[in-house]
Amino acid sequence: MGRRPRRVTSKDVARLAGVSRTTVSLVLNDVPHARIAPETRRRVLEAARQLGYRPNAAARSLVRQQAMTLGLILCHPPAHVYTDPFLPQVLLGITGALQKTEYRLLLETVAEPSLREDYLDLAREKRIDGFILSGPRVDDVALRELHKEGIPIVLLGHLPDVAIPSVDVDNVRAAYTAVTHLIRLGHRRIGMITNGPLHYTASQERLNGYRQGLAKYNIPFEPDLVVEGHFTAESGEEAMRRLLTVRPRPTAVFVASDTVALGALVTLRQAGIRVPEDMALVGFDDIPLAAYVDPPLTTVRLPAYELGREAARLLLTLVAGESPPSSRTVLSTALVVRASCGALQALHNPQSKGGETGSNT
Amino acid sequence: MGRRPRRVTSKDVARLAGVSRTTVSLVLNDVPHARIAPETRRRVLEAARQLGYRPNAAARSLVRQQAMTLGLILCHPPAHVYTDPFLPQVLLGITGALQKTEYRLLLETVAEPSLREDYLDLAREKRIDGFILSGPRVDDVALRELHKEGIPIVLLGHLPDVAIPSVDVDNVRAAYTAVTHLIRLGHRRIGMITNGPLHYTASQERLNGYRQGLAKYNIPFEPDLVVEGHFTAESGEEAMRRLLTVRPRPTAVFVASDTVALGALVTLRQAGIRVPEDMALVGFDDIPLAAYVDPPLTTVRLPAYELGREAARLLLTLVAGESPPSSRTVLSTALVVRASCGALQALHNPQSKGGETGSNT
DNA sequence: CTGAAAGCGCTTACAG
DNA sequence: CTGAAAGCGCTTACAG
């Protein structure tokens, strides 16, 4: 490590350009109503360039009362984040939307117990001007508090009966589509493995979609046919084992997470149950690898990149003080039909991997 | 959006506690040599609590000349980040290490062309006190410049002939282990699919490990048997197709990325080539799903969480002005033997599917 | 068209 | 043991 070079401040630039710091600031910030002589402007720009001057972010934040930083708060249990093949895309969507702006992204992961403290402080210290909260929980009181205080917040996912702007997919509808797809393929006895515990809004909603799908076709709901997953492939393995003990055995299973579905697939393989011949499977998420497992997974595509991008855009309008066009953005999902549901087989096209897609919106 | 409540500053706390702002600062920061009367301290603490006071981060940064923020710069092409099942774990490792500290994490993704500008500015604006750079590239000049200026930097990965502290695995050795494992199983004709283009240090090194493995056993290196992957499963599909045209055909392939290997697996399936009976496969990374594909992937485990954690720890000592115990941390990898390499079959593992267990020689 | 001055909210010598 | 004052590096009315 070398020694830090002397800091260069606006004072240095002013001196070199032979103007005041005011003028330096005016020029560098391109202040609208400031009329600066072209020659002066040139001199300032040149001096700044020559000195490699960059305005100090802290000083600027202090005077502007803006951190120029947005937060991304990840409220998932470690087990989830760990296997989340989804996060990178969301991240890319967010940073993509921020790219042309002066805003930067602060990342915070929140362990369960300390929910409150952490991002409350982040906002109160004015380290961030607003934030995206991924994986909001119903029991999160700090969140409602912050929202009341006027901190710009966007939920990735959503919360019932809270007016916080959100970006999400219609989980109910998506699950409904997945299940009715199986029903139309002739299945009447369809199991479900949830993606996570039911206090996660998304888990609950996907379960609702499953029930609505059954109801639509007058298939009675059987609690025994629903097993809870816990985000991991491992939990899918176990859930499927449980499901296989139910009699009569289901002929199809809707697994509300591809990662969990991969675990289920392993159990099926070990039990010598062929997919889709003996058991049809539909997943959820369309993780990048869903097309590459055997058999390729029929699943519901979640627009991860777009979710991140839209959340960031929404937050950007919020911190700009504008009111957003809509405070609840719902992006559409699409059923991606591959081999695991058996639909392709019915079409005598066992090789296909891309599959047909049908939008559900 | 409600209206922002009046900011509470140290002045408010001082007034309520009946002391000066100096005393407030002294108490709240627990300044070592300040002797504050217990009763005064209590009053200050109580006032701060009552008002929900949190020191303004910008003001604090300005006076301390520390942003209390560390950067994580992701220098991967979008295609890589997109499918990186690895990033969440690294992230968790980093935020875990930062949890007990006052440092926060700023995330920056860098698209190829604009390499220079972006994080140069971040550092020059003093928005970050130092950073972790993931995926350093040999042609990155900005990086060397910043390092010369004394900005604390830790490389996730490493660069030849640069004295920047780094955290990495020994890619050469890991690849060597993977390849010699195949050789010991009897293979003599072993192909390789790289994880990415060879200007990535890691890709180059894994290729070197492959060559060293062959050399050790006096197996001549054949350029035709090496095909470049590009981080994605799709690229693995294509690479394997190319490899299958080589005559005589390899009996085993080392794929330096699990994600890429999954693509290779698809090609093999489509060609009716059984793994491991007709073709043995060893991957790299041990992505969370490696154990859940068919056949389960033998691979090299990369300690993703630990890499993130160690990088953060190293950076923390650097920004604290201390010199680190070692400026090059090398974490160890481990060969994880599953079914795809055929080793389990040789042991008469009951799990293995039917078919001959013929020797691979 | 440009500059002097105040102020953002802290911390930290320096007095007392 | 505690307070008045300076200063971190900017921006922004306000004069001129």
Side-chain angles (χ1 to χ4, degrees):
Chain A
M1 287 196 18
R3 165 183 330 101
R4 285 310 214 307
R6 207 180 58 72
R7 296 186 282 276
V8 8
T9 73
S10 70
K11 201 166 162 185
D12 300 310
V13 179
R15 188 173 333 147
L16 182 58
V19 298
S20 73
R21 281 152 73 223
T22 305
T23 305
V24 171
S25 175
L26 260 26
V27 170
L28 262 30
N29 290 312
D30 244 330
V31 176
H33 294 302
R35 313 226 136 269
I36 307 281
E39 166 59 12
T40 307
R41 175 181 299 274
R42 200 196 54 70
R43 279 214 318 276
V44 170
L45 256 18
E46 171 57 21
R49 199 195 54 70
Q50 197 172 316
L51 296 172
Y53 171 70
R54 295 260 79 208
N56 179 297
R60 193 177 246 187
S61 290
L62 182 57
V63 65
R64 283 196 189 161
Q65 298 289 355
Q66 283 204 61
M68 298 311 287
T69 304
L70 268 22
L72 171 62
I73 322 283
L74 260 24
C75 276
H76 301 278
H80 190 186
V81 178
Y82 228 74
T83 59
D84 194 350
F86 196 72
L87 178 61
Q89 298 184 43
V90 173
L91 238 34
L92 229 43
I94 296 175
T95 56
L98 263 38
Q99 205 119 66
K100 319 137 210 173
T101 75
E102 284 193 64
Y103 284 94
R104 289 293 159 260
L105 188 69
L106 197 71
L107 189 77
E108 185 80 1
T109 57
V110 170
E112 297 256 350
S114 56
L115 262 183
R116 300 201 61 185
E117 299 297 297
D118 279 352
Y119 56 93
L120 222 116
D121 284 359
L122 240 35
R124 296 248 168 89
E125 288 170 359
K126 303 265 180 296
R127 264 174 107 134
I128 56 179
D129 301 313
F131 59 88
I132 297 171
L133 181 71
S134 173
R137 292 185 38 169
V138 187
D139 55 350
D140 190 339
V141 270
L143 183 62
R144 290 151 205 264
E145 233 172 80
L146 283 178
H147 181 239
K148 286 237 177 55
E149 289 181 18
I151 311 278
I153 304 178
V154 171
L155 262 30
L156 212 44
H158 75 275
L159 246 28
D161 60 78
V162 175
I164 306 178
S166 66
V167 175
D168 203 357
V169 295
D170 186 338
N171 281 295
V172 178
R173 193 189 180 94
Y176 175 91
T177 304
V179 171
T180 53
H181 173 71
L182 285 168
I183 297 176
R184 285 205 210 89
L185 287 172
H187 297 279
R188 303 286 297 173
R189 199 160 172 75
I190 303 172
M192 169 166 182
I193 299 175
T194 70
N195 49 320
L198 294 178
H199 59 254
Y200 285 90
T201 325
S203 305
Q204 183 66 60
E205 289 173 346
R206 291 175 196 179
L207 176 58
N208 291 347
Y210 162 81
R211 297 188 63 157
Q212 288 183 19
L214 296 183
K216 170 77 177 178
Y217 286 84
N218 298 312
I219 302 175
F221 170 71
E222 285 186 39
D224 278 0
L225 287 179
V226 176
V227 183
E228 259 189 35
H230 291 86
F231 303 117
T232 63
E234 207 180 353
S235 76
E237 252 186 294
E238 198 184 314
M240 184 54 92
R241 267 197 294 271
R242 278 257 301 282
L243 222 41
L244 288 182
T245 65
V246 181
R247 290 292 175 272
R249 198 205 261 166
T251 63
V253 177
F254 166 50
V255 189
S257 148
D258 286 350
T259 302
V260 174
L262 294 202
L265 227 32
V266 166
T267 295
L268 257 16
R269 255 195 304 269
Q270 288 175 347
I273 297 173
R274 295 168 307 164
V275 179
E277 293 84 349
D278 307 327
M279 173 82 82
L281 228 56
V282 175
F284 203 110
D285 287 346
D286 195 24
I287 63 175
L289 299 181
Y292 289 91
V293 297
D294 183 30
L297 225 49
T298 290
T299 186
V300 177
R301 187 182 112 79
L302 226 55
Y305 180 90
E306 290 81 0
L307 282 166
R309 190 189 55 199
E310 292 310 312
R313 285 185 182 165
L314 220 175
L315 186 54
L316 243 18
T317 70
L318 252 32
V319 296
E322 300 160 25
S323 51
S326 150
S327 88
R328 175 130 163 67
T329 303
V330 179
L331 300 185
S332 47
T333 56
L335 185 69
V336 182
V337 178
R338 298 199 184 92
S340 71
C341 63
L344 261 31
Q345 233 169 10
L347 298 175
H348 291 278
N349 186 10
Q351 284 282 51
S352 165
K353 194 186 65 232
E356 308 159 16
T357 68
S359 167
N360 78 358
T361 305
Chain B
M1 285 196 21
R3 166 184 330 102
R4 282 311 212 304
R6 208 179 57 70
R7 296 186 281 277
V8 8
T9 71
S10 70
K11 202 167 161 183
D12 300 310
V13 179
R15 188 173 334 147
L16 183 58
V19 298
S20 72
R21 284 151 71 223
T22 304
T23 305
V24 171
S25 175
L26 258 27
V27 170
L28 261 31
N29 290 311
D30 244 330
V31 176
H33 294 301
R35 311 227 138 268
I36 307 283
E39 167 59 12
T40 307
R41 174 182 301 273
R42 201 197 53 71
R43 281 215 316 278
V44 170
L45 256 18
E46 172 56 21
R49 199 196 54 70
Q50 199 174 314
L51 296 172
Y53 171 69
R54 294 260 81 207
N56 179 298
R60 193 177 247 187
S61 290
L62 182 57
V63 64
R64 284 196 188 160
Q65 298 289 354
Q66 283 204 62
M68 299 310 286
T69 304
L70 269 20
L72 172 62
I73 321 281
L74 259 25
C75 275
H76 301 279
H80 189 187
V81 178
Y82 228 75
T83 58
D84 194 350
F86 195 72
L87 178 61
Q89 298 185 44
V90 173
L91 236 36
L92 231 42
I94 295 175
T95 56
L98 261 38
Q99 205 118 66
K100 318 136 212 175
T101 75
E102 285 193 63
Y103 284 94
R104 289 295 159 258
L105 188 68
L106 196 72
L107 189 76
E108 184 80 1
T109 57
V110 171
E112 296 256 351
S114 56
L115 263 183
R116 299 201 62 184
E117 299 298 296
D118 280 353
Y119 56 93
L120 221 115
D121 284 359
L122 240 35
R124 296 246 169 90
E125 287 170 0
K126 303 266 181 294
R127 264 174 108 133
I128 56 180
D129 301 314
F131 58 88
I132 296 171
L133 182 71
S134 173
R137 293 186 37 169
V138 186
D139 55 350
D140 190 339
V141 270
L143 183 61
R144 290 152 206 264
E145 234 172 80
L146 284 178
H147 181 240
K148 286 236 177 59
E149 288 181 20
I151 311 280
I153 303 177
V154 170
L155 263 29
L156 212 43
H158 75 274
L159 246 28
D161 60 78
V162 174
I164 306 179
S166 66
V167 175
D168 203 358
V169 295
D170 187 339
N171 282 296
V172 178
R173 192 189 181 93
Y176 175 91
T177 306
V179 170
T180 53
H181 173 70
L182 286 169
I183 297 176
R184 285 206 210 89
L185 287 172
H187 297 279
R188 303 288 297 175
R189 199 159 173 74
I190 303 173
M192 168 167 184
I193 299 175
T194 70
N195 50 319
L198 294 177
H199 58 256
Y200 284 91
T201 325
S203 304
Q204 183 65 60
E205 289 173 345
R206 292 175 195 179
L207 175 58
N208 290 348
Y210 163 80
R211 297 189 63 157
Q212 288 183 20
L214 296 183
K216 169 77 177 180
Y217 286 85
N218 297 312
I219 301 175
F221 170 71
E222 284 187 39
D224 277 359
L225 286 179
V226 176
V227 183
E228 259 189 35
H230 291 84
F231 302 118
T232 64
E234 207 181 351
S235 76
E237 252 187 295
E238 199 184 314
M240 183 54 91
R241 268 197 293 272
R242 278 258 301 282
L243 221 41
L244 288 182
T245 65
V246 181
R247 290 290 176 271
R249 197 204 263 168
T251 63
V253 176
F254 166 50
V255 189
S257 148
D258 286 350
T259 301
V260 175
L262 293 202
L265 227 32
V266 166
T267 295
L268 257 17
R269 256 196 303 269
Q270 288 175 347
I273 297 173
R274 295 168 306 165
V275 178
E277 294 84 349
D278 307 326
M279 173 83 82
L281 228 56
V282 174
F284 203 110
D285 287 346
D286 196 24
I287 64 176
L289 300 181
Y292 289 90
V293 297
D294 183 29
L297 226 48
T298 291
T299 186
V300 177
R301 187 180 113 79
L302 226 54
Y305 181 89
E306 290 80 1
L307 282 166
R309 190 189 57 199
E310 291 310 311
R313 286 185 181 166
L314 220 174
L315 185 54
L316 243 18
T317 69
L318 251 32
V319 296
E322 300 160 25
S323 50
S326 149
S327 87
R328 177 132 162 64
T329 304
V330 178
L331 300 185
S332 47
T333 56
L335 186 70
V336 182
V337 178
R338 298 199 183 94
S340 71
C341 62
L344 261 31
Q345 238 171 4
L347 298 174
H348 292 278
N349 187 302
Q351 289 275 55
S352 64
K353 304 203 260 176
E356 311 159 24
T357 341
S359 122
N360 286 310
T361 354

